[in-house]
Structures are given as C-alpha cells and as structure tokens.
Amino acid sequence: MQPKISTSVLFLLLISSIVSGQNFIIGTENGVNFSNVRKSTDNDRMAAQPGPVNGMFFKYLAGDWIAFESGLDLATLYFEKSFYYYYYGDSYYNYSSSIYQPSSSYVYQSKFNFLRIPLLMKLRTPGRLNFEIGGGPYYAFLVNDEYRGKDKDLYIEEYGKENLPPLHDWGWILTGSVNYNIDNRWKVFLSSRVTNGKKVYFDSDNGKVGSTEILLGLGFNPFVSKEIQQKNENTGTNVKIIPYSGVNFSRTKSTENKSQYGNKTGFTSGVSLKFILGENFSLNTGALYERKGYSLNYEGNYNFIYRLPLAFENQNVPAIHSDVRLDYLTFPFGFEISAGKKLISNLSFGVYYSLLQNVFAEGEKINTNNYSDGYNINRDYFNNSLDHWFKKSDAGFVFGYRLEYPFFQWGNVFIAVQQSFGVNNIYNNLDELTINNTYYLEDEMYNNSTSILFGIVIPVSQN
C-alpha cells in the first residue's frame, strides 16, 4: 500500500469519526512483541526476542458489528541468532582413550525501531463484554538513529548506502481482542496481533520482519448519547466468547516412509465466538495459535525429510535426531449442535484455514568416524529455519466434542477434544532436492492432530 493511499484513507477515517463523535473512541495501548524473521532460505534460525510496543489509537464504531481503527505505535523489534560449534563424545585410539567436550559460540544481535500506521477493519460483537477480530495493512518508518540520524553517514561509509536496511516497510496485521466497557465512556481491552512485513531486512536469508504481539489498552469515548447507553443495557445473549488453551498431539501423515516420522506434542491457545442460531444450533468461528510438527530419526543428510543417501553419499553419513515444529495462526469456521440443560454436550464440525508463522528443525547430528587405529564420535546441535521447504498456508476439516458445566454464575467451564485433518500437502520446493536427475522426492506431508482443550464459555450479557 502506497503512503499517499494510506494517508488519504486515514484522513477520511478521522473525519468520519469526528462527524459521528458518539461512536469515536481514542486511547493508548502498551505491550510486548516477540520478533520473527520470515525467510525463503534454509538457514540458522533467529529465535523470538521480546521488545516493547507503545502507541495510541483512534477507533470508529460503524454500528454494532463493525469497527474501523487506525493510530500510531512505536515497536522495537530485537533479533538474535546463536551459532554453536561444539562436539563431544567418545574417542578411542590404540595409544589413548578420552572423553572431551570443547565448544564455542557466537551471538549475532540487531534491533529495529518502527513507527507504524495501521489501517484495520474489525468484526465485533455488541455488549459490555465484547470481542473483535480483523486486520488490514500497515505502513512503517524505520526510526533507528544509526540509519537515519547523526550516525547515518558513518554507517553509509562503513557498509555502503546499498547495504543499509530499507527506511520504510509495509505489510499486514491480523488482530483479535477481548474488550470490557467499564462504563459508557471508559473501555479496557487485551489484544493480540500478528504482523507480516514485506521488505527484506536480512539479505543473506532474504528475511522479512514480523512479530507476535500482546497488548493492554485503555479507551475513552468523549461523546456518549442516551441511544448508545440504552443499546448497551439491552443487548441479549445470542453471542458467547470462548477463550481456551490446551495441549496438541500431532500425528503428521506422510505418503512415503510413514514409519520414519514420529509424533510431537505442542500447544494450542485461542478464542472462539459462538453465534446462537437456534435453540440447539450455533455458528462458531475465531482464531487460535497452535504448534504442530513431527520428529525424524534416521541416518541421512536432511533434518526435515526422510531420504536415504545415494551410494556416492554413503560415507560418514550422520545420524539425525530432529524435531520439526510448525507454528500456525488458524481460523476455524463451523457449526455446533448442543444438548443438555446443566451438563451441556456440544458436537462441532467445520473447516479451518491456517497461516504458517514459524517452521524450524531442532536437534542433533551425530557423526562417527572410523580409523585404522580407533574411532571418533562428534555431535553437532542444529536449530534451522525451514521456511523455504514448507508452504505458507494449510487447510482442512475439524471435528470436536465439548462438555461444559455452569461452574460460575457468569459462565461455564469446559473440557474439549478436537480433531483436525489437513487436506493440503505442506511440503514445498522438493524438486530442488533432486541429485543428478537420479533421485526425486515424491513425499507429501499432511497435518493431522488431536487437541485436548480447557476453557470458559462466557455469554455476552449486559445486566
């Protein structure tokens, strides 16, 4: 999105908000971000690092179900990559015997300060306790002093102007929040965001910056009418908010070499919206963050896919013990059938769409070198990004069963089991692993997982 377009849309948004002042909310938000680098090359992974986010926002409520939001925030993104060079194990020679653990490490660190202008459209539920989910584009200015201020000339002289990071970025934001109206003027909220930048900031990896953010905020409505007050007091309970968290057991399905891939345990956390359509029938949607993946143990050269070495590669092939982890932001959409009065059973079925946030392999490579007078064993730790080898999205079917009980006067607690079946092959670019036109990988991999969840069902009520 071009700066002129962003500025024009923001200007029109602010004008419309001022004209309809009773629907205009201003406020501040503060929180933490966890940086992320999205790459197109298979390279050492940059671990998520925390940094601050501070800003102000302007929100316009276009009725009970839609909101438009913009503002200005300062986000500091830290990046860190650790390199480990070590080996340990047993060595035996005719003239000596020893166990040794020499090691060395190196840490690369960088920081970017971005001044961001988001333009968001959100779907929202009415009521005192309400939920919002949506997204939109953002435009950002890099405000690091060393790249823009008094040290700019020194950096240009040392690195060259062409090697400086871009001074502007743009991308997309996905966001969701739980909001509570303290009274007709003051609002508090807890929100989460996922950002995806489009400019390359790490040339060696073709890496683009992004983040996962958690924010607390306070909003103020300077103009309140009696009509707004009556709406808030008379909203029904046809919508329920369902926050939850739990454990995820991945049984990723492969079309080739199935026995070589193991199960992995991860986590699932999110918020659902339940729209009641009838006495025992409802529509469910929402957003969740989940970690899926699989394990791989074999003797070969790849840390994310099983492939036996060819004859000319079959010398000193390492034993690989790898955990492949895939982090997804998932949007489910489905229907639910309920039965029972006090102990309520809910059977759900639907579809999901997921956006890949991170994918990496972590583990060890073990090399055994045999000599005429002894042997040597080396173990090397790896932690690699795998963005290049996996598709950026996934989709499939999801089924679930939830059992809830009215433990609190204001909501029900529940335990649920949820099963998802992916229908998209999540591998990407495997044709690049062909060697001398003699070996072509035809593997396909599909996500398949079971989640056990715990949470609360909160009716949107305004008493």
Side-chain angles (χ1 to χ4, degrees):
M1 178 172 288
Q2 298 298 320
K4 292 183 179 179
I5 298 176
S6 303
T7 305
S8 300
V9 174
L10 176 60
F11 178 75
L12 292 175
L13 176 63
L14 294 178
I15 291 297
S16 63
S17 300
I18 294 172
V19 172
S20 303
Q22 63 190 19
N23 296 327
F24 181 46
I25 298 174
I26 60 175
T28 62
E29 53 192 6
N30 301 277
V32 62
N33 77 78
F34 296 90
S35 60
N36 185 23
V37 176
R38 309 188 193 287
K39 308 176 184 179
S40 63
T41 56
D42 183 15
N43 212 326
D44 291 309
R45 174 175 172 253
M46 282 192 173
Q49 299 292 314
V53 180
N54 304 281
M56 58 183 297
F57 67 90
F58 313 91
K59 183 186 296 185
Y60 174 63
L61 306 181
D64 290 334
W65 299 96
I66 298 178
F68 297 94
E69 184 177 318
S70 187
L72 193 67
D73 62 61
L74 179 64
T76 301
L77 275 62
Y78 294 96
F79 300 92
E80 181 176 297
K81 181 189 293 186
S82 298
F83 302 90
Y84 298 94
Y85 305 97
Y86 69 92
Y87 56 95
Y88 61 93
D90 296 326
S91 291
Y92 170 77
Y93 297 94
N94 290 333
Y95 49 83
S96 68
S97 178
S98 62
I99 298 176
Y100 51 91
Q101 291 184 318
S103 64
S104 63
S105 64
Y106 170 75
V107 178
Y108 164 79
Q109 295 178 323
S110 62
K111 179 184 74 171
F112 297 107
N113 296 309
F114 289 104
L115 193 62
R116 297 185 308 203
I117 303 175
L119 295 170
L120 309 176
M121 185 181 76
K122 301 179 180 180
L123 298 177
R124 63 186 300 268
T125 62
R128 170 166 286 182
L129 180 65
N130 58 84
F131 179 79
E132 296 179 349
I133 185 172
Y138 72 86
Y139 194 81
F141 303 88
L142 182 64
V143 294
N144 289 39
D145 286 343
E146 60 266 34
Y147 303 133
R148 300 179 60 93
K150 56 185 176 61
D151 296 327
K152 179 180 178 181
D153 293 338
L154 296 177
Y155 269 75
I156 291 177
E157 181 179 349
E158 182 173 356
Y159 299 106
K161 188 174 183 180
E162 67 279 2
N163 294 321
L164 293 182
L167 298 183
H168 305 90
D169 192 15
W170 73 276
W172 299 94
I173 295 178
L174 293 172
T175 181
S177 65
V178 177
N179 314 282
Y180 182 75
N181 299 334
I182 300 174
D183 55 30
N184 293 322
R185 291 187 181 275
W186 293 97
K187 336 283 181 182
V188 294
F189 65 86
L190 174 66
S191 70
S192 62
R193 293 178 183 170
V194 175
T195 70
N196 288 277
K198 296 300 182 181
K199 292 289 188 70
V200 174
Y201 278 81
F202 299 92
D203 291 334
S204 61
D205 301 329
N206 198 24
K208 303 173 183 179
V209 302
S211 64
T212 300
E213 303 175 358
I214 300 175
L215 303 171
L216 284 170
L218 178 66
F220 177 71
N221 189 339
F223 308 102
V224 179
S225 68
K226 292 182 178 180
E227 179 183 359
I228 295 294
Q229 182 175 350
Q230 291 174 353
K231 282 184 180 180
N232 287 341
E233 292 176 350
N234 295 325
T235 301
T237 59
N238 291 328
V239 180
K240 297 182 179 180
I241 299 175
I242 308 176
Y244 58 87
S245 185
V247 62
N248 175 50
F249 303 96
S250 295
R251 298 185 306 278
T252 310
K253 179 182 177 182
S254 174
T255 58
E256 303 287 339
N257 307 303
K258 300 178 183 179
S259 62
Q260 303 298 327
Y261 298 96
N263 301 335
K264 286 302 298 179
T265 302
F267 62 87
T268 298
S269 183
V271 177
S272 290
L273 285 179
K274 180 176 181 178
F275 299 90
I276 299 175
L277 305 178
E279 183 177 356
N280 298 308
F281 190 65
S282 60
L283 171 67
N284 284 14
T285 187
L288 61 136
Y289 199 93
E290 55 185 345
R291 171 166 289 178
K292 299 180 179 180
Y294 56 91
S295 62
L296 179 61
N297 297 282
Y298 80 115
E299 291 186 354
N301 296 299
Y302 295 95
N303 58 14
F304 73 96
I305 191 169
Y306 178 81
R307 203 214 73 177
L308 286 176
L310 299 179
F312 64 88
E313 299 178 301
N314 201 22
Q315 292 184 357
N316 295 326
V317 177
I320 291 181
H321 304 286
S322 178
D323 289 331
V324 179
R325 303 178 185 179
L326 300 101
D327 294 343
Y328 287 99
L329 182 64
T330 299
F331 304 94
F333 183 88
F335 297 95
E336 188 172 83
I337 300 173
S338 304
K341 296 297 183 182
K342 194 165 187 178
L343 185 62
I344 304 174
S345 296
N346 304 273
L347 183 64
S348 61
F349 53 94
V351 297
Y352 73 85
Y353 180 75
S354 296
L355 296 174
L356 185 63
Q357 303 300 304
N358 290 291
V359 54
F360 59 95
E362 187 175 23
E364 283 185 328
K365 288 185 178 180
I366 303 174
N367 286 89
T368 301
N369 301 304
N370 294 300
Y371 307 98
S372 59
D373 55 354
Y375 66 88
N376 172 259
I377 300 175
N378 296 334
R379 297 174 184 247
D380 295 314
Y381 172 78
F382 61 84
N383 189 349
N384 301 135
S385 292
L386 300 174
D387 300 59
H388 183 66
W389 304 109
F390 287 82
K391 293 179 180 177
K392 305 304 181 186
S393 62
D394 186 30
F397 299 96
V398 60
F399 304 89
Y401 176 77
R402 186 174 75 250
L403 191 64
E404 60 183 81
Y405 181 80
F407 190 82
F408 302 105
Q409 184 177 2
W410 47 268
N412 299 349
V413 298
F414 71 83
I415 181 173
V417 178
Q418 187 169 280
Q419 178 67 47
S420 65
F421 302 93
V423 298
N424 290 343
N425 173 26
I426 61 176
Y427 278 150
N428 194 32
N429 298 319
L430 292 190
D431 56 320
E432 297 180 14
L433 299 181
T434 302
I435 298 179
N436 295 334
N437 297 319
T438 60
Y439 196 104
Y440 180 72
L441 289 174
E442 297 181 350
D443 296 43
E444 294 183 358
M445 183 71 75
Y446 298 87
N447 281 317
N448 188 342
S449 66
T450 302
S451 299
I452 299 177
L453 307 173
F454 303 89
I456 304 175
V457 180
I458 308 173
V460 179
S461 179
Q462 301 305 309
N463 296 326

